[in-house]
Amino acid sequence: MGADLPGGLVPPEMESSEGVEAETDAGTAPPDTEERSTPILGGGGPVLLRDRFLVDTGKPLPELDCPSAKAYAVEDRRDLSRHLYGLVCTPGLPIRIDAIRAIKDLDIRGILPLVDWDAVTWPPLGQKAMVVIFQRPMGGRVADRMARKEVKITEYDMPRRVIEPITEGLQAINNLDAPHRAIRPDNIYFLDEDMTDVVLGPFVVAPPGYDQAVLMEPIERAMAMPAGRGKGNSRDDIFAIGVTMVLLLLGYNPVGKIKDEDLIHARIEQGSYTAICGTARIPMQMIEPLRGMLADDPTERWDFNEMTNWLSGQKINPIKKRPIDKAENPFTFRGRKHLTARSIAHHFCKHPSDAVRAASSDEFQDWVKRGLDKGTISDAIKGAVQASKFHEEGHQGSDDFLVARISTILDPKAPVRYKGLSFAPDGYGPVLAVQWVRNGDPQAAAEVLAHEVSALWFTAQPRLHRELAELQKNLAQLRGLLSIQDPGYGLERVLYESNPSMACQSPFVIKDCVSTIEQLLPALDAASNSGDTSTHPMDRHVSAFIAARFGEDIHPHLRALASSRAETSIVGMLSLLAFLQWKLRTPAVLGLSSWVGGLLGPAINAYHNRQTRQELERDIPRLVRKGSLPELFNLVDDAEKRREDSEGFETAQAEWLSAEEEIRDIEGAGEERLTKAERSGQQAAAMISITIALTVVSVILLIETL
Amino acid sequence: MAMAPNATSASDGLNWNLVLGIGVILMLLSIFAFPTLMVVGIGFLPTLVAYICDRTEQKFATFCVGGMNLCGVFPYVVHLWTDDHSVPAATEVISDVFSLFVMYAAAGFGWMMFLAIPPVISSFLQVLAQSRVKTLRTLQRDIVEEWGPEVSVATDDDDGISPPA
């Protein structure tokens, strides 16, 4: 399916970036920043957004770049004194449109103000891209300023000067159900030139956690692939604040030279605080707050109340040290020694074939039972292995499925892991988007739903609280949509339902960055000038996009569209497009009308009466020139006309049949016909003879009697 | 008793009432109008032959020959009735070659009619049928022109009839 996507829209350096696992150094900046950045620097002149903001393609601002979006200078034509900049988002990468809508025009302390956003034609890319405009932070990045020693923030200043405003901002956006999920040292700015106002930088231009380094994420989300880290919550943000504090205070990354995988292993086996801060000299008064913020157990981790207590100087409760569940003797898998179930589960997922062999061994099951003292888990693994052997032929017997199951049993809180994918259950949408749109291979992501891999994860949870139950329900609904193969459903529908900001990926409109339903018809109208108008404009992506974004009941239209009869399918397409134009009050779409009008042959031919067909063919160009799809639909699918045509056809059929029967009767078999004619002749001869005889007798009798 | 079913089946083809009626008439004629019976008996020999030869149920040939035969015989019968109804007069009629010729020629004309008229009638009916077929074909062509060839397709499927050329 991904192969259908037009090439050239994703810059080459993007395609190899979203790997299954990021084997890069942990650092303050995301390790694969350079690979994942999309927009290409280059000229093309200024671009106007909403007739007000001038985004200058010739003025890049690399110091304000995000890993997934390049920054450019922006000028407000109505207020030239405003300092603005725009982030050009990566086409095909879902952005956080709900968060954009939530914070737009809000002045939240501690959050970089978002001014406006829209999709504009971006000349360097040769297509439309989403541009989000922010107030320009005139003081630059806090981390850069500190590194250059232009500002000094000590451990005494840090809470009040940095942490307090951003905590306040986080609380505000958390109330808007938009956790930040992009807190890192290089995303904290001084809003003013005097470097007094500290704000959190942009967080809406990529999926939650996508731009974060492994270091910045809590361990459960750090194990997930960048796109699959999930929306998360305020506690994930507080973890990131903790790590950011460590990095800013130290001025360097204490684990910068450790590879991501090694860092994850260390965090699992030692705990995040120890793994990150273990060798560093953390100021005494920061130790307890950092323990609270970096606690691996989300229920123990600090929340906003504890943050506020700390910031206001109130007494804070120290985190109780809980030993990590470790075995006394390690289990060695592929040369690495593991002491915890989480660590071995994480490693298993990287090597499914070896993992199946290891997990099936008595040695491993014995280690789980005795070493980890988890007899129930050992039994569950044994059961999973046996079940896999029982279902050897089906997907449940595959190594990938078995490893997904075993890893979930071993570590229920870890991400869903299957065929190289790993994602938090609230991160499925972005994973599918990235795997399909950017890597061109949605197979594994589709199998997660089709084979109910995510159900394994939910089954393994000790208890399903409300959010998890809702997530489970959402994924089950997505599975239902996937199982229907008609237009408007399938994996395309799953893509748009699970990614509210995802632009329509139809080849007809992909360059137009159509992310709202209102943009679709104008984009298709424009596509009619350049696209192949001999094909159906309503491809699977367009129909799924409409089904996901249009808030009306379109099931009858989709049913007609799915019909195997060409005329019904064409009428279904026209009716859906006409419904869109009518409901959204879209102005005339001349090109699209012409495009659709040219495809109406089968619908016109569905009429039996040739005169009716000729009338339709005569009238269509007139309506095409009006650009009105509803009128075109009314003309083609007039119920009264259809009824008359159908009745007339039936009458004509009966008339034709009657004539045919009479002809057959007349022509009949040749011999029979001749016999019949001869008999008639003989009869006639006899009648003539008798008539003559009677006449003669009568005449003679008459003569004789007179 | 054993013969009874056979006797019944042998007599199936004969209408004994008719035979009896004809027998009575012939007997009465031979008593009261023997000369007429002589002329009629000889004169209607062609009709008798036609009756025997005509194996059809309708006996059109018999009627045809008989009708014309009557035209040839009846004047002589009337002559007997009005002139001299006697055996010598009847003998004279039946021994006269001319009168026999008239009677048999009339029967022969009837036979000729029977042979000549059917082909003429048949040709006439043929022309009428062709004309009707032509009209119906034109009607079908008009229907197909207005409603398309599908109008005949369903019928073809059902009945195996080819659409009109």
Side-chain angles (χ1 to χ4, degrees), chain A residues 539-559:
Chain A
D539 62 12
R540 288 190 65 86
H541 273 290
V542 171
S543 54
F545 183 81
I546 294 171
R549 300 282 184 270
F550 194 38
E552 302 288 334
D553 179 18
I554 58 166
H555 288 97
H557 306 268
L558 292 178
R559 265 200 303 277

Side-chain angles (χ1 to χ4, degrees), chain A residues 266-471:
Chain A
R267 284 175 62 184
I268 291 171
E269 306 230 318
Q270 300 165 29
S272 290
Y273 176 82
T274 311
I276 295 168
C277 308
T279 55
R281 296 185 56 157
I282 303 293
M284 186 65 75
Q285 68 270 35
M286 300 302 268
I287 289 177
E288 212 42 60
L290 286 175
R291 278 189 184 284
M293 289 183 228
L294 299 184
D296 283 326
D297 184 348
T299 57
E300 285 185 356
R301 198 178 301 146
W302 275 16
D303 58 13
F304 284 128
N305 285 335
E306 281 153 320
M307 290 288 284
T308 312
N309 289 345
W310 169 58
L311 291 170
S312 59
Q314 293 176 41
K315 193 186 171 192
I316 53 172
N317 297 322
I319 293 283
K320 288 174 190 166
K321 282 188 182 175
R322 283 191 186 168
I324 293 170
D325 243 356
K326 282 185 191 173
E328 283 183 12
N329 298 314
F331 180 81
T332 307
F333 177 65
R334 287 179 65 92
R336 174 171 271 181
K337 291 178 176 173
H338 297 277
L339 287 168
T340 62
R342 170 166 281 179
S343 158
I344 188 82
H346 182 66
H347 201 185
F348 269 0
C349 294
K350 310 283 177 192
H351 311 283
S353 301
D354 294 341
V356 168
R357 269 196 299 278
S360 307
S361 68
D362 292 338
E363 187 197 352
F364 175 74
Q365 287 166 13
D366 197 48
W367 178 74
V368 174
K369 191 172 185 177
R370 300 181 201 288
L372 292 174
D373 196 20
K374 293 180 189 297
T376 326
I377 290 179
S378 173
D379 292 343
I381 291 171
K382 202 181 283 180
V385 172
Q386 281 169 353
S388 169
K389 283 177 184 162
F390 184 74
H391 295 104
E392 210 168 357
E393 298 299 315
H395 67 269
Q396 289 168 311
S398 69
D399 287 354
D400 291 301
F401 190 86
L402 178 59
V403 170
R405 192 167 179 182
I406 290 173
S407 60
T408 309
I409 293 168
L410 283 167
D411 184 8
K413 298 285 178 194
V416 177
R417 293 172 287 205
Y418 179 72
K419 280 195 176 177
L421 303 179
S422 61
F423 58 93
D426 55 349
Y428 176 76
V431 166
L432 173 63
V434 168
Q435 288 299 111
W436 190 355
V437 179
R438 301 177 58 71
N439 295 347
D441 179 20
Q443 187 63 31
E447 283 180 18
V448 166
L449 286 183
H451 297 167
E452 295 190 276
V453 178
S454 53
L456 298 175
W457 191 90
F458 287 105
T459 310
Q461 299 311 303
R463 65 179 265 275
L464 286 179
H465 52 79
R466 194 174 54 81
E467 286 89 353
L468 280 184
E470 208 161 292
L471 271 176

Side-chain angles (χ1 to χ4, degrees), chain A residues 535-584:
Chain A
T535 56
H536 220 291
M538 185 78 72
D539 62 12
R540 288 190 65 86
H541 273 290
V542 171
S543 54
F545 183 81
I546 294 171
R549 300 282 184 270
F550 194 38
E552 302 288 334
D553 179 18
I554 58 166
H555 288 97
H557 306 268
L558 292 178
R559 265 200 303 277
L561 191 62
S563 171
S564 57
R565 295 172 60 191
E567 66 271 22
T568 313
S569 180
I570 289 282
V571 169
M573 174 201 69
L574 175 60
S575 69
L576 184 50
L577 292 174
F579 187 33
L580 275 177
Q581 191 182 12
W582 174 72
K583 198 76 189 170
L584 302 174

Side-chain angles (χ1 to χ4, degrees), chain A residues 610 657 660 662 673 689, chain B residues 64 126 132 140 146 155 161:
Chain A
R610 293 202 167 177
L657 182 62
E660 188 63 29
E662 194 178 337
R673 185 163 46 87
S689 176
Chain B
C64 197
Q126 183 80 0
R132 177 66 183 154
Q140 282 187 321
E146 190 178 355
T155 320
I161 301 167

Side-chain angles (χ1 to χ4, degrees), chain A residues 118-179:
Chain A
D118 200 5
V120 294
T121 303
W122 193 245
L125 288 175
Q127 68 169 90
K128 278 194 174 183
M130 196 65 81
V131 176
V132 188
I133 297 174
F134 293 93
Q135 186 176 331
R136 188 165 170 177
M138 301 307 290
R141 283 190 173 123
V142 171
D144 290 348
R145 292 284 192 166
M146 286 175 73
R148 290 200 296 265
K149 301 198 185 305
E150 290 167 359
V151 63
K152 186 173 169 59
I153 300 175
T154 65
E155 62 267 30
Y156 303 104
D157 301 334
M158 180 75 71
R160 198 159 293 280
R161 200 163 165 198
V162 178
I163 306 302
E164 191 185 336
I166 63 177
T167 303
E168 196 177 315
L170 281 179
Q171 272 184 298
I173 59 173
N174 194 54
N175 291 339
L176 298 169
D177 193 28

